[in-house]
């Protein structure tokens, strides 16, 4: 068994224990002396006032300033009315055309009976209720200032009439009935330079007042229907192209400004579509669609640039000013719904565009030909000085190209045409001298007679670019048709823009709506109402002017820069901006407020417990 050594602890002397107790007591005293002194009531009140002042500044000054500087101004818009215009509920455009019937060879009773019979026949032939012809006898109307015969002699195209209400109306056409002795059948002749339709009839075709219809009435009605058939189709095409669909996303607003789903009357839409489909055949719709694609948008002012281009140094001059005055200016002056400015220029050494194939020589015909697929790249945009636009209105470019003597005559392959149209841009004509005399003269200068065919071609191209119809053959009637079609298109375009703006306003609650947008909307709606009223009353020139202003104001309001800039502004951007700023400031304010609330809670609990 191993030995166990027991070591006993030596007891601490009393003096050392006393010293150790004194040192511990000194440490406790020093530790107690480092504690902060208790807060006085005055210090607590000062601290509370400081924290309160910070929060009062934030709440009463900081938050209002932040709200005022970052809030989005949204002007009140008449959303319900805007959507009604877009849905076609606010206005159903109608086109009543005044037709004057002048029958000097008939008695008043016979003439009245003929007008009623013709009107009845017209109503039976018309399948498009929005466009209708209203016949009025000349003797039953009051002509202002001078007689109708004087107006015919002066070449007036629009007769200002006064009906029973005293309201001026524009007559679309005047039917002159002329009795011809010995005539075998009824014939009609539409004058090309005035809105007058001459009807020649034998005496035995006038009809009697006892019969409900007559051959003369049916002939007049059929001829009038043929004259305005293309106009009816054009207006029907414009209506169906801008018509809201029954199953589309159409909505309206309630009185509180909130959106509620609704749709136009399905029966009304089906009825209107049925009427339009009877007026528009698929072939005619394709034809009108091509015309719409080819023509420019309506503008009150167009700029025309006529250019002479040649790959050589000749011809270097042309008698363009006198040629324009004689061959083009009369057309521009008669085009009353728009204004025109004309500029001319000459460009020498104008080479073909490198993107097209050079002309090929046809030895059998002795001509140079251009491929049809190269016509779109014929204009050398990189080197030919053609301005895309001058001022506010669109620019129409017409080019007269004179090929070099070595590459003349120049034509389009297969078709052998020398002119073509560039949709929504202008037209090009190649000048090929037809005789040795013209060749020798064209080497230095082009005379007025040499330019005449090109300017006549430019005139036809200009009418196509402006959207003029091909029929009827009377130019004043074509201009009237264009006026009514343009008024309808602008009315529907402005109405559609109003609907788009209303839907955008509801779909994006955070988007700004400045005051100028609200003003543009009010102006648009005012002119839309004026347009609809002018169409109903037959004042189509006034309707076109109001529709033009409405369309311009609608585009101005929809594409306002202050709205477009805030369409795409997600909320993540706001968090990224505010968090680095509010974090360092907000945390101390919130923590100090919580401590004060906790202190007040303890004081309140203590007082309550003390009771």
């Amino acid at each position: 068994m191993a030995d166990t050594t027991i070591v006993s602890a030596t007891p601490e002397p009393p003096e050392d224990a006393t010293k150790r107790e004194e040192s511990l007591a000194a440490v406790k005293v020093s530790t107690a002396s480092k504690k902060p002194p208790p807060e006085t009531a005055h210090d607590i009140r000062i601290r509370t006032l400081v924290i309160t002042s910070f929060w009062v500044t934030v709440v009463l000054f900081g938050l209002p300033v932040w709200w005022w500087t970052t809030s989005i101004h949204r002007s009140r818009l008449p959303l319900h009315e805007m959507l009604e215009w877009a849905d076609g509920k606010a206005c159903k455009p109608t086109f009543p055309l005044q037709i004057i019937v002048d029958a000097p060879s008939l008695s008043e009773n016979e003439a009245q009976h003929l007008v009623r019979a013709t009107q009845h026949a017209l109503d039976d032939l018309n399948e498009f209720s929005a466009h209708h012809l209203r016949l009025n006898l000349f003797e039953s109307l009051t002509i202002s200032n001078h007689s109708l015969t004087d107006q015919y002699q002066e070449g007036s195209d629009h007769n200002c009439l006064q009906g029973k209400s005293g309201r001026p109306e524009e007559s679309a056409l005047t039917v002159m009935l002329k009795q011809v002795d010995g005539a075998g059948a009824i014939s009609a002749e539409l004058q090309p330079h005035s809105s007058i339709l001459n009807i020649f009839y034998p005496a035995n075709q006038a009809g009697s007042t006892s019969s409900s219809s007559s051959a003369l009435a049916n002939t007049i009605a059929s001829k009038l229907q043929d004259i305005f058939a293309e106009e009816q189709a054009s207006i029907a095409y414009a209506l169906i192209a801008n018509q809201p669909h029954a199953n589309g996303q159409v909505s309206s607003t309630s009185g509180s400004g909130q959106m509620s789903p609704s749709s136009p009357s399905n029966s009304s839409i089906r009825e209107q579509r049925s009427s339009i489909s009877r007026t528009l055949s698929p072939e005619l719709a394709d034809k009108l669609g091509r015309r719409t694609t080819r023509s420019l948008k309506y503008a009150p002012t167009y700029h025309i640039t006529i250019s002479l281009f040649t790959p050589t140094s000749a011809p270097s001059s042309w008698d363009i000013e006198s040629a324009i005055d004689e061959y083009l200016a009369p057309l521009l002056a008669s085009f009353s719904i728009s204004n025109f400015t004309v500029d001319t220029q000459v460009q020498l050494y104008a080479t073909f565009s490198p993107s097209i194939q050079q002309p090929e020589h046809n030895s059998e015909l002795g001509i140079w030909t251009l491929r049809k697929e190269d016509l779109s790249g014929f204009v050398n945009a990189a080197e030919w000085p053609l301005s895309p636009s001058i001022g506010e209105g669109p620019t129409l470019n017409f080019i007269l190209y004179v090929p070099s003597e070595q590459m003349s005559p120049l034509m389009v392959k297969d078709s052998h045409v020398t002119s073509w149209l560039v949709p929504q841009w202008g037209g090009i004509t190649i000048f090929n001298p037809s005789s040795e005399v013209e060749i020798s003269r064209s080497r230095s200068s082009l005379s007025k007679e040499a330019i005449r065919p090109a300017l006549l071609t430019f005139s036809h191209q200009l009418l196509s670019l402006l959207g003029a119809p091909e029929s009827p053959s009377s130019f004043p009637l074509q201009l009237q048709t264009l006026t009514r079609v343009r008024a309808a298109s602008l009315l529907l375009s402005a109405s559609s823009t109003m609907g788009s703006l209303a839907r955008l306003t509801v779909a994006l609650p955070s988007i700004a709506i400045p005051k100028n947008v609200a003003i543009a909307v009010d102006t648009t709606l005012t002119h839309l109402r004026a347009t609809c009223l002018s169409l109903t009353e037959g004042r189509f020139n006034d309707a076109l002017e109001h529709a033009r202003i409405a369309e311009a104001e609608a585009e101005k309001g929809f594409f306002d820069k202050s709205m477009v800039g805030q369409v795409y502004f997600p909320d993540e951007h706001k968090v990224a901006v505010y968090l680095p700023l509010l974090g360092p400031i907000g945390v101390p304010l919130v923590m100090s407020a919580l401590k004060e609330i906790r202190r007040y809670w303890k004081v309140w609990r203590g007082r309550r417990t003390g009771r």
Side-chain angles (χ1 to χ4, degrees):
M1 184 173 182
D3 295 336
T4 303
T5 304
I6 299 174
V7 180
S8 61
T10 304
E12 184 178 4
E15 296 82 2
D16 295 340
T18 304
K19 291 180 180 181
R20 186 168 56 85
E21 291 176 359
E22 291 176 355
S23 63
L24 290 175
V27 170
K28 291 181 180 180
V29 171
S30 63
T31 303
S33 63
K34 291 182 180 180
K35 292 183 179 181
E39 289 183 305
T40 63
H42 176 73
D43 295 336
I44 295 174
R45 186 170 61 254
I46 293 297
R47 186 183 65 202
T48 303
L49 291 177
V50 170
I51 297 175
T52 305
S53 64
F54 272 105
W55 277 103
V56 169
T57 303
V58 170
V59 173
L60 298 183
F61 180 75
L63 289 179
V65 171
W66 168 79
W67 182 266
W68 179 70
T69 55
T70 60
S71 62
I72 298 174
H73 177 71
R74 288 175 62 89
S75 301
R76 295 183 61 86
L77 298 180
L79 300 179
H80 181 71
E81 185 177 1
M82 293 165 66
L83 288 169
E84 282 193 338
W85 278 100
D87 299 342
K89 299 177 182 178
C91 174
K92 296 186 180 299
T94 58
F95 303 85
L97 272 62
Q98 286 282 353
I99 307 297
I100 306 173
V101 179
D102 189 10
S105 301
L106 300 177
S107 63
E108 185 175 356
N109 291 335
E110 292 175 341
Q112 290 284 2
H113 177 73
L114 178 63
V115 168
R116 288 193 295 269
T118 306
Q119 185 69 65
H120 182 71
L122 268 176
D123 295 339
D124 292 340
L125 292 174
N126 187 22
E127 296 181 345
F128 184 41
S129 58
H131 184 282
H132 55 276
L133 308 178
R134 299 187 301 184
L135 301 182
N136 288 286
L137 190 62
F138 167 63
E139 283 77 5
S140 62
L141 299 170
T142 302
I143 309 301
S144 61
N145 299 332
H146 49 275
S147 65
L148 186 63
T149 306
D150 295 336
Q151 289 184 345
Y152 297 155
Q153 294 175 354
E154 295 175 5
S156 175
D157 294 332
H158 296 81
N159 301 323
C160 184
L161 306 178
Q162 286 186 345
K164 295 180 180 179
S165 62
R167 183 193 68 231
E169 296 178 347
E170 301 171 1
S171 63
L173 182 66
T174 300
V175 179
M176 295 288 295
L177 299 178
K178 298 182 179 181
Q179 181 175 335
V180 179
D181 297 334
I186 303 173
S187 60
E189 178 189 6
L190 181 63
Q191 297 188 12
H193 302 296
S194 62
S195 55
I196 298 176
L197 174 64
N198 293 321
I199 301 293
F200 305 97
Y201 66 97
N204 58 353
Q205 295 290 339
S208 61
T209 56
S210 59
S211 60
S212 59
S213 63
S214 64
L216 181 58
N218 294 333
T219 302
I220 297 174
S222 177
K223 185 62 178 178
L224 291 176
Q225 186 68 21
D226 292 341
I227 289 175
F228 295 99
E230 185 171 353
E231 177 179 335
Q232 287 186 350
S234 299
I235 295 177
Y237 180 83
L239 291 176
I240 200 172
N242 295 272
Q243 190 181 62
H245 300 285
N247 56 353
Q249 296 179 356
V250 183
S251 54
S252 59
T253 56
S254 61
S256 61
Q258 300 294 328
M259 299 296 293
S260 59
S262 65
S263 63
S265 173
N266 294 336
S267 60
S268 176
I269 290 179
R270 285 195 298 267
E271 181 181 354
Q272 187 176 12
R273 286 181 179 175
S274 176
S275 175
I276 293 175
S277 62
R278 290 192 299 268
T279 306
L280 271 179
S281 62
E283 296 80 8
L284 186 55
D286 293 339
K287 176 183 176 182
L288 295 175
R290 290 192 299 270
R291 179 193 299 173
T292 303
T293 305
R294 179 179 64 239
S295 60
L296 285 168
K297 189 178 181 180
Y298 171 76
T301 302
Y302 294 95
H303 305 282
I304 298 176
T305 300
I306 303 177
S307 307
L308 172 63
F309 289 94
T310 177
T312 62
S313 60
S316 59
S317 63
W318 54 341
D319 193 9
I320 187 63
E321 293 185 3
S322 59
I324 290 176
D325 292 339
E326 184 170 349
Y327 305 125
L328 187 61
L331 172 64
L332 302 181
S334 61
F335 208 88
S336 58
I337 63 176
S338 296
N339 298 320
F340 298 90
T341 61
V342 182
D343 298 324
T344 62
Q345 64 175 344
V346 177
Q347 179 68 24
L348 306 179
Y349 301 103
T351 59
F352 287 115
S353 174
S355 62
I356 68 172
Q357 185 176 338
Q358 294 298 313
E360 301 173 352
H361 185 259
N362 189 330
S363 57
E364 295 181 359
L365 301 176
I367 61 174
W368 293 81
T369 59
L370 284 167
R371 298 187 308 169
K372 186 177 181 180
E373 53 267 24
D374 291 334
L375 296 182
S376 59
F378 181 83
V379 177
N380 190 352
E383 299 182 7
W384 294 5
L386 295 172
S387 177
S389 62
I390 301 175
E392 296 182 357
T395 298
L396 298 170
N397 294 279
F398 295 100
I399 297 176
L400 177 61
Y401 184 82
V402 182
S404 62
E405 185 178 355
Q406 295 79 13
M407 203 175 288
S408 181
L410 181 63
M411 302 178 182
V412 179
K413 193 175 182 178
D414 297 331
S415 61
H416 297 168
V417 298
T418 58
S419 63
W420 61 92
L421 187 72
V422 181
Q424 299 186 5
W425 186 85
I428 301 172
T429 299
I430 299 175
F431 176 76
N432 293 313
S434 58
S435 63
E436 294 294 333
V437 177
E438 288 188 0
I439 293 175
S440 61
R441 291 179 178 176
S442 62
R443 289 176 181 174
S444 59
S445 178
L446 293 179
S447 62
K448 180 179 67 174
E449 290 75 16
I451 305 174
R452 178 179 180 274
L455 287 184
L456 295 179
T457 302
F458 292 157
S459 300
H460 290 287
Q461 293 175 344
L462 175 62
L463 292 177
S464 298
L465 292 170
L466 295 178
E470 298 177 359
S471 64
S473 58
S474 173
F475 178 73
L477 290 183
Q478 291 181 4
L479 188 59
Q480 292 182 41
T481 297
L482 184 60
T483 301
R484 289 185 280 269
V485 172
R486 292 295 195 186
S489 300
L490 293 175
L491 170 68
L492 297 173
S493 176
S495 301
S496 177
T497 304
M498 286 290 97
S500 300
L501 180 58
R503 287 185 285 269
L504 178 67
T505 302
V506 176
L508 299 176
S510 61
I511 194 173
I513 304 176
K515 185 177 181 180
N516 55 330
V517 173
I519 294 175
V521 169
D522 292 339
T523 305
T524 300
L525 295 178
T526 300
H527 285 280
L528 284 177
R529 299 186 203 99
T531 302
C532 189
L533 180 61
S534 298
L535 289 177
T536 304
E537 295 179 351
R539 295 181 286 110
F540 302 112
N541 287 327
D542 294 341
L544 177 62
E545 181 63 21
H546 288 298
R548 181 189 64 81
I549 299 175
E551 201 270 343
E553 290 294 325
E555 295 289 327
K556 177 182 176 182
F558 186 81
F559 292 103
D560 187 87
K561 59 182 181 180
S562 60
M563 292 183 60
V564 176
Q566 296 186 13
V567 171
Y568 304 103
F569 192 79
D571 294 335
E572 289 80 359
H573 288 193
K574 299 178 182 179
V575 175
V577 171
Y578 289 138
L579 191 59
L581 177 64
L582 298 181
I585 299 177
V587 171
L589 288 176
V590 172
M591 295 303 298
S592 60
L594 291 177
K595 289 181 179 181
E596 283 297 308
I597 294 173
R598 184 178 179 183
R599 186 183 66 81
Y600 272 106
W601 173 260
K602 289 182 177 180
V603 172
W604 180 78
R605 289 287 301 271
R607 290 177 180 177
R608 188 174 182 182
T609 304
R611 288 197 201 96

